[in-house]
Amino acid sequence: MPGTPLIERAPCSAGDPLRLGVLVSGSGSNLAAVLDAARDPARALRVAAVLSNVAGVRALERAVAAGVPALVEDHKGRSREAFEDAVDAALRAHRVEVVVLAGFMRVLTAHFLERWKHRVLNVHPALCPAFPGMHAPRQALAHGVRVTGCTVHLVDAGVDTGPILAQAAVPVLDDDDEAALTSRIQAEEHRLFPAVLSALAQGRVRLVDGRPRACGLAAR
Ligand code: GAR
C-alpha cells in the first residue's frame, strides 16, 4: 500500500482494537451501526465511550444497552473552550484513540482539533462539499439534485469540511420526501462509516503525498 498510516499505532487486532469515542447529539443510528461492526472481532474496533452534549437522547440509551459508558457533557452555559476541555478529558479518561462524530451537532474548534490531529472523523448526509450544516437531505431536495449521498471525512474547524476519506452516492427519486431520502442516505452511512473506521484500524487509511486516502474502499 502506498504512503504511511494516518495514525501512528501498532496494528489493531481483535485483542488490541482501535478505541473509539463516539460523540452524539440525537438518535444514534450511526452509533448503532458502529456498535454492530465492533461486535465482529475482525473489524478491530471497540466503542470505548459514547458522549452526548444533550441529555436523554436515544443514542445514550443505545450505548447503555450495549454496555458502553454513556457520558453527558452539556455545552450550555459554558465557553466553547471549557466544553471542549471537558470532552477531551472524558475521552482521555476512557483511553479513546479516535473520535467519531455520529450526528454530533456542535462545531469543534481548533482548540480541540489540534490535540486530536487526524483523529476526528465525521459522517455527513451529502456529497461534500455540497450541502454542509443542518438538513442536508432537505437542501438536496430544494436544489433538485438527482444524485446525493454521504461523506466520511476528517474534521477540520469548518462545518462538514476537511479531507474526504470516502463517499457513497444515492439517487434522488421523483416521489422522495425528506424522510424517504434521509432514510436511503442513512442506509449508506451505516455501511460506509464502519467500513472507513475498520480501514483506519487496519492501517488502510494512509497519507499519500500529504493527503489522507482510504485504500480498498470502492466508490459506490
Ligand atoms: C446522520 O445522518 C449524520 O450524517 C447527520 O446527522 C444524522 C444523525 O443521525 N450529521 C450531520 O448532518 C452533520 N452535519 P443518527 O444520530 O441517527 O446517527
Side-chain angles (χ1 to χ4, degrees):
M1 270 184 281
T4 54
L6 185 69
I7 57 175
E8 293 295 325
R9 191 204 195 275
C12 301
S13 63
D16 183 21
L18 187 65
R19 295 178 65 82
L20 307 175
V22 184
L23 304 191
V24 296
S25 303
S27 96
S29 69
N30 277 283
L31 166 67
V34 174
L35 286 166
D36 271 355
R39 282 187 195 102
D40 175 359
R43 298 276 204 146
L45 299 172
R46 171 167 306 151
V47 179
V50 172
L51 186 151
S52 176
N53 64 316
V54 183
V57 294
R58 173 94 177 90
L60 290 168
E61 294 170 13
R62 295 186 200 264
V64 170
V68 171
L71 319 169
V72 177
E73 290 293 343
D74 196 338
H75 62 276
K76 288 197 229 77
R78 282 162 143 175
S79 68
R80 282 203 185 262
E81 285 75 14
F83 170 67
E84 291 180 357
D85 284 346
V87 172
D88 179 73
L91 295 172
R92 289 181 196 281
H94 288 84
R95 295 186 292 117
V96 164
E97 298 174 279
V98 165
V99 182
V100 175
L101 308 187
F104 182 65
M105 295 304 185
R106 296 292 297 168
V107 173
L108 293 167
T109 71
H111 179 74
F112 180 90
L113 294 170
E114 278 165 11
R115 292 183 243 171
W116 292 89
K117 187 173 162 58
H118 289 163
R119 287 173 182 264
V120 186
L121 281 74
N122 181 44
V123 65
H124 183 65
L127 294 175
C128 295
F131 312 139
M134 305 279 283
H135 308 303
R138 190 185 301 174
Q139 295 184 56
L141 289 170
H143 280 81
V145 298
R146 306 312 296 166
V147 178
T148 181
C150 59
T151 302
V152 177
H153 64 93
L154 291 180
V155 174
D156 65 14
V159 176
D160 300 314
T161 56
I164 291 169
L165 298 176
Q167 292 185 307
V170 170
V172 181
L173 305 183
D174 288 341
D175 58 354
D176 268 347
D177 58 13
E178 187 178 351
L181 182 57
T182 299
S183 147
R184 195 175 312 114
I185 293 170
Q186 288 193 341
E188 284 300 309
E189 292 186 335
H190 300 161
R191 179 190 65 77
L192 192 69
F193 210 4
V196 174
L197 294 169
S198 283
L200 182 64
Q202 294 160 358
R204 288 186 286 113
V205 180
R206 303 177 73 85
L207 278 175
V208 182
D209 297 331
R211 293 179 60 158
R213 294 253 175 265
C215 307
L217 287 176
R220 280 208 342 197

